[in-house]
Amino acid sequence: MRVKKIEPIILRYPEPNDHDAARMTVLVRLQTTGGALGWGECIAMWPEACAAVAAVIREGLAAEVTGMDLRDLEAIRGKMKARTWWYGEGGIASMALSGIDMAAWDALGRESCQPLWRLLGGRAHDSLPAIASMHMNRETPADNAREVARHVGAGFAGAKLGFGKKGLSPVGGDPDYDADFVAEVRSAIGGDALLMVDIGNGVRWDAATAIYAANRMVEESRIDWIEEPLHPSDLSGLAELRAKSGVRIATGEREFTPDGYARLLAGGCVDVLGVDPGRAEGIGGFIRVARMCEAHKRFINAHAWSTAVTTAASLHLSIATPAAWVFELKPLESPVQHELPETPLWHQAGRIHADNAPGLGVNIRESVLRKYRVGK
């Protein structure tokens, strides 16, 4: 049960959930001596970052890990950490490590005929509420509210509204406009649906603006959390916001290491940690952060907004920790969510389950992989 070969694969694909923008990622295909295939993903996004991640894997980490025993995943992680120590604690190095770590866990599950959630110690949840993770890109508040209501009406348990994204919407430009818009969405979806607001990288608020807007949104619209309301390095601002608002604060999407998440928890500035296993040291990194969240009685939320590989890994990880609360899905059909896997992951009546298929449970269509591959 040893690693035989590791290959990075760069993909470029159109994303309907991002106003049809072209997006990129790096998949990792790991072959074992027993003939199993494991899949991982590195959420590198930009062309130069994807090329760099692929080079780190191809020219460095693959050789380090080849021949190692899959049953000692901690040794594999340690070997990669030692190799990347000189040139990265985060960033490109962490994303490269993430993809290999994820693929190794997948391969181990397939070799041992165990689903990932079982390898992680068993289920903490039978299922989780599925929320539609959406970018607000329609021209008017009414158009956006109708779209959110359509997805909730089709079965989602709620929605997360992404501000400052590509498209026609001015949402994210003015806190009063934004608060009024969120109230319109709440009216459209009803009082029982979950509702999260993702301020995100496209909006730059200061602490005073965030406090004002967050309090309006929670009082008028009963939002469940506000995400990335300030720059992630503004720990004092986030702590002030958390102390002076009545809403949960979510942040962490742009962290890379368990140590980075530990600093957020120590700063008393977060209720929900957003963690992407495709950038934050893979399965091993996510589960370390989940244990911190459990100890601090905080929530963890998987950032699974890429291909079906990361979605599957995020689902198993979320099912395996009591710190998870909800699970995000892209609501519009996407090439890498619905075309790439043989069986797309989807919710049933607003809840999503992880089944008993070995590893991540995702089998990749090679014809689709070739269709979107860069440098074939």
Side-chain angles (χ1 to χ4, degrees):
M1 199 182 290
R2 294 183 179 274
V3 178
K4 180 179 180 181
K5 183 180 179 181
I6 295 173
E7 178 188 11
I9 301 168
I10 301 175
L11 300 184
R12 180 183 178 91
Y13 60 94
E15 180 51 77
N17 293 277
D18 192 22
H19 205 60
D20 290 323
R23 294 173 71 97
M24 296 183 70
T25 192
V26 182
L27 294 187
V28 175
R29 177 163 49 196
L30 185 151
Q31 299 179 38
T32 72
T33 53
L37 280 183
W39 290 97
E41 185 170 2
C42 319
I43 311 299
M45 181 69 72
W46 304 113
E48 70 278 15
C50 289
V53 164
V56 167
I57 294 172
R58 189 172 48 249
E59 307 298 333
L61 295 185
E64 291 290 299
V65 172
T66 297
M68 294 190 72
D69 192 331
L70 282 172
R71 290 167 294 189
D72 196 348
L73 291 164
E74 191 60 30
I76 291 175
R77 179 180 183 273
K79 195 77 175 290
M80 291 191 290
K81 291 283 284 186
R83 173 77 181 193
T84 59
W85 177 86
W86 184 255
Y87 58 83
E89 182 70 14
I92 299 299
S94 284
M95 287 187 282
L97 185 156
S98 296
I100 294 176
D101 180 85
M102 192 185 299
W105 278 91
D106 186 25
L108 177 62
R110 291 172 190 267
E111 288 272 14
S112 59
C113 297
Q114 299 291 324
L116 178 60
W117 59 262
R118 187 168 288 143
L119 294 179
L120 295 171
R123 297 180 189 267
H125 311 273
D126 290 328
S127 64
L128 287 166
I131 61 171
S133 185
M134 305 174 61
H135 289 183
M136 298 296 96
N137 50 34
R138 306 298 182 188
E139 186 171 6
T140 70
D143 289 339
N144 281 302
R146 276 194 293 269
E147 184 175 19
V148 178
R150 178 168 62 86
H151 292 303
V152 172
F156 277 100
K160 189 173 85 171
L161 316 178
F163 286 12
K165 306 298 185 182
K166 300 178 182 71
L168 304 174
S169 175
V171 170
D174 174 79
D176 284 310
Y177 181 100
D178 298 344
D180 290 342
F181 165 65
V182 174
E184 187 166 354
V185 172
R186 170 55 77 191
S187 177
I189 65 176
D192 293 333
L194 294 165
L195 184 59
M196 292 76 171
V197 176
D198 179 9
I199 304 305
N201 190 48
V203 179
R204 279 288 177 263
W205 284 350
D206 58 19
T209 303
I211 291 166
Y212 170 75
N215 280 323
R216 275 204 62 189
M217 290 177 189
V218 72
E219 289 166 7
E220 298 171 16
S221 308
R222 301 185 309 283
I223 63 170
D224 292 283
W225 77 56
I226 189 167
E227 185 169 329
E228 308 289 351
L230 299 170
H231 193 276
S233 64
D234 186 4
L235 300 189
S236 61
L238 287 167
E240 182 183 5
L241 173 60
R242 185 166 181 254
K244 294 181 178 179
S245 69
V247 65
R248 298 180 186 92
I249 308 302
T251 193
E253 183 180 311
R254 291 186 289 279
E255 290 292 341
F256 286 99
T257 67
D259 287 344
Y261 287 101
R263 286 190 289 272
L264 289 175
L265 288 169
C269 56
V270 64
D271 300 283
V272 184
L273 283 178
V275 185
D276 193 325
R279 63 184 278 133
E281 299 191 358
I283 304 299
F286 188 106
I287 209 66
R288 282 172 167 79
V289 180
R291 298 295 177 252
M292 294 180 205
C293 289
E294 293 165 16
H296 285 81
K297 301 190 186 307
R298 298 288 186 265
F299 293 108
I300 193 168
N301 184 55
H303 181 258
W305 224 80
S306 190
T307 80
V309 174
T310 292
T311 297
S314 297
L315 177 58
H316 283 269
L317 285 160
S318 298
I319 288 291
T321 172
W325 169 23
V326 298
F327 192 78
E328 298 183 29
L329 288 172
K330 291 187 282 191
L332 301 178
E333 287 198 6
S334 165
V336 293
Q337 287 284 352
H338 295 83
E339 188 181 350
L340 184 64
E342 291 181 0
T343 304
L345 292 163
W346 200 240
H347 67 91
Q348 297 176 349
R351 299 194 70 87
I352 188 165
H353 307 255
D355 64 21
N356 293 316
L360 301 181
V362 172
N363 295 313
I364 298 298
R365 297 180 188 274
E366 290 290 336
S367 61
V368 179
L369 196 70
R370 291 192 295 272
K371 178 178 177 180
Y372 296 111
R373 184 169 186 169
V374 175
K376 301 168 186 173

